[in-house]
Amino acid sequence: MRNRAAWAIWWGLAWITPAMADETLVIYCSEHTPPKHYAEAGVAKGYAVEAARMVALEAGYVPKVVALPWLRAIRESASGSGIITSFSRTTERDRAFLYTDLLLEDAVVLVQAESRPFPVRSLADLSGRRIGTTRGARYSPELNAALPKMVINEDGSPPLRLQMLVAGRLEGALFAGGAPAVAYSAREAGVAMSALRIVSPPLAVNPNFLGVPKAMPQAAAVKARLDAALARLRKNGRLARLLEQAGLTAPSARASASVTVPATLP
């Protein structure tokens, strides 16, 4: 009888695969980029957080999301202690990170004060302009290349960015996440949307990935596992439904690392 009990226990344990084991995966995110990823009362929230959680769970991990100021989140992830969500690809980041298949795409928009608009026909029209953006944020290759030609003010608070804009301390403000991100921050800032103008079309359509630090043990295997989970979630439509609830169009296929910004903007 004792042998039978031992056999039963062994047989039950034999069916536990690595994907079923209690493997915690730390996921870093920004605490200041609502509604995409942010912290509220110390709890990580946002559609980029929920998408990352969904992928991690599908891959068999137990996700633990940690919201930090964005630059610190990048540094902590790069050390190998966890992956990072909603991550744009740059040459600089390529040295420290691997990237999963495409997680989501969102619009990067320029916001102006309605009382002080100026024409934007191309990225060159932003040269010399005082533009606010999130500290450490990076976008499409074309927009990244244009940033040094602007007078950039980096901050950790999108609502403050809008307050500075309407007060005349900025000429424009960049927001990843499109109009929903602007509307969320406007409510937080107490700024009426009627006081703002969102330039159309977006300056970029920003591809976002899960970043897997090369310093993480078995980084390539972690990336492969997350990619397999992403493929399953695309096939069964669960990721698409989550993103559509956030007002985004879900990507349908593997993406290249860059998206081309039009040479001119109407």
Side-chain angles (χ1 to χ4, degrees):
M1 183 65 69
R2 187 176 300 169
N3 288 339
R4 288 182 183 177
W7 174 260
I9 293 171
W10 179 89
W11 182 251
L13 292 174
W15 282 98
I16 298 177
T17 66
M20 295 168 63
D22 183 5
E23 296 180 76
T24 298
L25 181 67
V26 174
I27 303 171
Y28 290 102
C29 73
S30 169
E31 62 181 20
H32 296 307
T33 313
K36 190 176 182 182
H37 45 146
Y38 62 104
E40 187 176 275
V43 178
K45 296 186 176 181
Y47 58 84
V49 169
E50 294 310 313
R53 277 198 183 110
M54 178 180 285
V55 175
L57 286 167
E58 178 67 25
Y61 293 110
V62 177
K64 177 184 177 182
V65 184
V66 178
L68 296 171
W70 187 231
L71 274 179
R72 184 180 166 194
I74 295 172
R75 287 195 296 267
E76 291 292 332
S77 179
S79 73
S81 58
I83 69 170
I84 189 165
T85 188
S86 196
F87 207 45
S88 301
R89 186 170 185 176
T90 70
T91 302
E92 179 182 4
R93 292 174 180 175
D94 283 353
R95 291 193 286 268
F97 287 90
L98 304 174
Y99 305 85
T100 64
D101 289 343
L102 189 65
L103 179 69
L104 60 89
E105 292 175 308
D106 61 9
V108 180
V109 295
L110 176 72
V111 185
Q112 301 174 341
E114 181 62 39
S115 60
R116 293 182 300 279
F118 59 90
V120 181
R121 291 173 293 273
S122 73
L123 292 173
D125 291 325
L126 300 181
S127 294
R129 298 278 187 177
R130 297 189 309 278
I131 305 297
T133 186
T134 299
R135 189 172 293 114
R138 296 295 180 269
Y139 309 103
S140 70
E142 292 80 5
L143 182 50
N144 291 340
L147 291 177
K149 301 174 185 176
M150 307 174 202
V151 181
I152 292 294
N153 182 80
E154 293 189 315
D155 63 64
S157 171
L160 174 62
R161 195 176 314 151
L162 291 181
Q163 291 171 343
M164 292 176 66
L165 180 66
V166 296
R169 295 169 62 189
L170 295 173
E171 295 175 272
L174 294 179
F175 277 80
V182 178
Y184 187 102
S185 293
R187 288 194 299 272
E188 293 291 303
V191 173
M193 286 297 288
S194 59
L196 305 173
R197 173 178 295 190
I198 300 176
V199 174
S200 182
L203 296 184
V205 176
N206 199 26
N208 282 193
F209 310 86
L210 293 173
V212 180
K214 294 179 181 179
M216 175 179 279
Q218 298 183 315
V222 173
K223 168 183 150 48
R225 191 160 152 183
L226 295 171
D227 281 340
L230 271 166
R232 291 192 296 270
L233 291 170
R234 278 196 298 268
K235 185 175 181 179
N236 63 29
R238 289 178 57 211
L239 182 59
R241 288 192 292 273
L242 184 151
L243 296 177
E244 285 163 5
Q245 288 172 0
L248 303 177
T249 300
S252 58
R254 292 177 68 99
S256 64
S258 65
V259 173
T260 301
V261 177
T264 60
L265 303 173

